[in-house]
Amino acid sequence: MANPGSKEGWNSRLGVILAVAGSAVGLGNFLRFPGNVAQHGGGAFMIAYVISFLIIGLPICWAEWTMGRSGGSKGFNSCPGIFNAIWRSPAAKYVGVIGVLSPVIIYMYYVNIEAWCLGYAVNFLTGNLDFANAQESSSWWGNFIGADGDGDALRSFGLGGVGLYLLAAFVLNFVLTYRGVSGGIELFCKVAVPTLVILALVVLVRVLTLGTPVPSEPAENVNNGLGFLWNPTKTFFEETDPATGQPLLHREVVDKDLITQFESQAAAEPTRYRVYQVSLWHQLADPQLWLAAAGQIFFSLSVGFGVITTYASYMRKDDDVVLSGLAATSANEFCEVALGGLITVPAAVAFIGVAGLAGVGLSTFDLGFKVLPLVFSEMPFGNFFGFLWFFLLFLAAMTSTVSMVQPGIAFIEEALKTDRKRSTALLGLITAVGSGFVLYFSKDIKALDTLDFWVGTFLIFVLATIQIIIFGWVIGVRRGFEEAHRGSAIRIPGIYVAIMKVVCPVFLLTIISLWLLTKVFGVNLTSGHSQLSGYITDLFVEPNPVAWLSVGLIGLLAVAFALIASTVRRYKDYQKQEADQ
């Protein structure tokens, strides 16, 4: 499976599919996805999610596979080299730098979260996690990661501190990467991806057989958890103070008996109580729903990261990218929808109820490190299943982080003409500084959150948009399809000509515009009022030193990578050679 311009390559088609699937399968599947579904309308979110998958997920995925293999056949394995080879523009290599910068920066904070998962797995295995309430669970998480103050995470390198686990995860990632594409990444993913699926199935069976674990709370059961997650129409109960008109209570209700009970209260006291439904169409009219769905697709499929493009460059020019891309995305969707979507929220609702879950929070970190540890504490054989769950999350995170390292390795090898040993050492040093930065500035996870916002959200949107425009308008969809179909067992449906040329770019540009309006400038699309987001406030209104240092780290690496790319004689020679032909 090696391409002619590289000494490295995949040993098998299954290997590259599992590696790409592994890069996509991560914490987003098992934590971020269920939280997004629950926060944004359940069944309504799924409709937006499926549409986003079909018109941005698959097209960008196929474009990345095709451009990566094409660049690899020309002897390039890094995003700057690949972009330079397929786009005759002096700007090409600099745009490609985003495909190196993004995964390297994301690795710096993602490996910290990976260490959290390993730490929780070990502490469940040793019986150290037993929480009576959400406050205890939240407090343990805060102490473990050092959320109370900068530098707090460095105080303990024992079982109850994150430092030891970060060191172990960091070293393991680079040991695997040093072993190469086939001997390290492919071999690991061939073991890790099936293992994490088996572990997920074991936990899923346990969750779906929970029934009603607390007999005194019949509304708290798995069926209501599934209803909370997937119902297309949402039912809410609201209590208002008749004298002041101030809202006293607002909660979603899933259990039919509770709905009947609340409807009786509303009929008896209509000035105080109200039960109402939010229809599917009303939910689909909310731009935030589409923003969340599109963002989940990006985060879940690893499109826009530069990883798939780099991985595909190690394939031969006749290796099937259409079926391989479809298989990898399908494997990821199975893990996300059929496993992650059926484990996390239903288990939480079964033990603490819809109201309790809403009270703790539905964000990735709330669900993963505050709610679920509490659930496992109350579950029979909770230490065992808690260990399985967090070890599963650790494996899922590992398959993602090893993929994030490879684009940087490929770039250093290609640009500096160095070997695997030196490139691994150099990137290891760079990412060690970045990971240490995130570890030290742990107060309120400010550094992690800032890096994730500007790189893990914004830059991947930018790169994905540029990639689909290059595929659709620079290369041309027709020519791109000819390249994609070389050696393919199936063909991309003809409707994707229009989707990849017009629909996908327009959809992405619309999403980016809405994202900037709502997430950066804080415009409320319903009321029209605006309030600058905390990320802008941290930089310009009430300057936060950690936020500025985080943005500075991004800028410093961007400039360094761009300068390195500008000195690569091979890039210039290739452009000149193509221009002369």
Side-chain angles (χ1 to χ4, degrees):
M1 293 285 289
N3 71 60
S6 172
K7 295 180 181 178
E8 291 193 278
W10 305 103
N11 283 330
S12 64
R13 179 186 295 180
L14 177 63
V16 66
I17 290 173
L18 288 178
V20 173
S23 73
V25 174
L27 301 179
N29 297 75
F30 297 101
L31 298 180
R32 194 174 189 262
F33 172 75
N36 262 330
V37 178
Q39 274 184 305
H40 297 283
F45 178 87
M46 283 307 302
I47 292 175
Y49 176 83
V50 170
I51 292 173
S52 298
F53 172 76
L54 292 175
I55 66 175
I56 62 175
L58 271 179
I60 297 172
C61 179
W62 277 326
E64 289 194 356
W65 278 82
T66 304
M67 292 191 294
R69 187 188 64 176
S70 177
S73 68
K74 297 175 174 63
F76 298 97
N77 298 119
S78 76
C79 280
I82 293 167
F83 276 51
N84 186 76
I86 63 178
W87 178 20
R88 295 181 187 179
S89 169
K93 56 181 174 289
Y94 300 112
V95 173
V97 164
I98 303 174
V100 179
L101 177 68
S102 295
V104 169
I105 293 288
I106 293 171
Y107 174 83
M108 291 175 179
Y109 66 81
Y110 202 93
V111 72
N112 277 267
I113 306 172
E114 181 179 298
W116 302 352
C117 298
L118 180 59
Y120 268 74
V122 171
N123 278 279
F124 264 115
L125 188 63
T126 54
N128 293 334
L129 299 182
D130 184 15
F131 305 119
N133 51 56
Q135 183 178 357
E136 287 186 11
S137 178
S138 299
S139 178
W140 198 92
W141 175 73
N143 291 331
F144 178 70
I145 70 167
D148 293 333
D150 292 332
D152 283 2
L154 299 174
R155 292 182 180 179
S156 172
F157 270 75
L159 293 182
V162 72
L164 179 65
Y165 306 106
L166 176 59
L167 180 62
F170 191 93
V171 170
L172 183 56
N173 273 285
F174 273 89
V175 167
L176 290 170
T177 308
Y178 174 73
R179 290 173 60 86
V181 170
S182 59
I185 297 173
E186 180 177 355
L187 186 63
F188 173 69
C189 289
K190 278 184 174 180
V191 175
V193 173
T195 300
L196 71 88
V197 170
I198 292 170
L199 292 178
L201 288 171
V202 171
V203 177
L204 175 61
V205 170
R206 182 68 191 99
V207 168
L208 295 182
T209 55
L210 283 172
T212 305
V214 184
S216 61
E217 298 290 343
E220 297 176 7
N221 58 65
V222 172
N223 286 338
N224 282 341
L226 294 173
F228 176 65
L229 199 59
W230 299 106
N231 282 350
T233 301
K234 295 294 183 180
T235 302
F236 292 91
F237 173 67
E238 187 176 71
E239 181 182 1
T240 305
D241 187 335
T244 63
Q246 294 296 317
L248 301 176
L249 176 67
H250 183 270
R251 57 172 288 194
E252 183 178 344
V253 190
V254 177
D255 186 74
K256 293 182 179 179
D257 291 336
L258 277 180
I259 292 175
T260 301
Q261 176 186 326
F262 290 146
E263 285 176 338
S264 298
Q265 287 183 253
E269 295 184 70
T271 58
R272 175 177 289 273
Y273 301 110
R274 183 167 76 107
V275 176
Y276 67 96
Q277 291 186 332
V278 179
S279 70
L280 170 64
W281 300 110
H282 182 83
Q283 295 173 68
L284 289 175
D286 182 4
Q288 296 290 349
L289 174 73
W290 293 92
L291 282 171
Q296 180 63 38
I297 288 295
F298 277 96
F299 198 87
S300 175
L301 295 182
S302 288
V303 293
F305 281 64
V307 170
I308 296 175
T309 307
T310 299
Y311 272 8
S313 73
Y314 293 101
M315 302 175 75
R316 290 189 297 258
K317 66 177 182 179
D318 293 325
D319 286 335
D320 190 336
V321 295
V322 179
L323 184 58
S324 296
L326 182 62
T329 54
S330 299
N332 174 75
E333 292 309 295
F334 170 76
C335 289
E336 182 151 288
V337 178
L339 298 179
L342 296 179
I343 292 175
T344 310
V345 173
V349 170
F351 279 95
I352 65 177
V354 173
L357 181 60
V360 177
L362 289 168
S363 73
T364 300
F365 295 155
D366 288 335
L367 275 175
F369 301 100
K370 298 176 185 178
V371 175
L372 286 176
L374 176 61
V375 168
F376 288 120
S377 293
E378 298 183 10
M379 183 186 295
F381 304 105
N383 283 336
F384 173 70
F385 286 104
F387 162 73
L388 288 186
W389 172 252
F390 281 101
F391 188 67
L392 145 70
L393 293 184
F394 171 69
L395 287 179
M398 273 288 298
T399 59
S400 296
T401 49
V402 293
S403 74
M404 295 171 192
V405 175
Q406 183 58 34
I409 295 289
F411 176 60
I412 293 172
E413 288 180 331
E414 189 173 273
L416 302 183
K417 297 181 180 179
T418 188
D419 58 19
R420 191 82 178 182
K421 181 178 180 180
R422 290 180 176 84
S423 61
T424 303
L426 179 56
L427 189 65
L429 177 62
I430 293 170
T431 53
V433 172
S435 300
F437 171 83
V438 175
L439 178 69
Y440 181 82
F441 291 109
S442 56
K443 184 178 180 181
D444 300 326
I445 57 172
K446 176 63 71 176
L448 187 156
D449 187 42
T450 304
L451 294 175
D452 181 58
F453 183 81
W454 291 112
V455 178
T457 303
F458 178 63
L459 274 188
I460 64 174
F461 263 102
V462 170
L463 182 59
T465 304
I466 293 172
Q467 284 177 318
I468 200 65
I469 291 174
I470 290 175
F471 187 88
W473 294 90
V474 177
I475 297 174
V477 176
R478 300 290 182 184
R479 203 177 81 177
F481 273 30
E482 289 179 9
E483 173 66 29
H485 291 145
R486 182 183 293 117
S488 64
I490 62 173
R491 298 183 67 81
I492 300 173
I495 192 175
Y496 275 93
V497 173
I499 289 175
M500 296 178 84
K501 191 174 182 68
V502 180
V503 178
C504 184
V506 170
F507 188 86
L508 283 171
L509 290 171
T510 303
I511 290 294
I512 289 176
S513 300
L514 289 173
W515 183 85
L516 288 171
L517 280 174
T518 58
K519 301 298 184 181
V520 177
F521 298 107
V523 176
N524 187 312
L525 297 176
T526 303
S527 66
H529 298 301
S530 64
Q531 181 178 1
L532 290 176
S533 75
Y535 301 100
I536 297 297
T537 303
D538 282 344
L539 295 177
F540 303 110
V541 181
E542 298 176 3
N544 183 292
V546 177
W548 269 106
L549 286 171
S550 301
V551 172
L553 175 63
I554 298 169
L556 180 64
L557 272 182
V559 170
F561 289 158
L563 287 175
I564 293 173
S566 71
T567 64
V568 182
R569 186 69 190 175
R570 188 179 168 204
Y571 295 166
K572 298 175 183 177
D573 291 343
Y574 189 88
Q575 290 260 338
K576 184 178 180 182
Q577 176 187 334
E578 288 293 301
D580 292 340
Q581 291 181 353

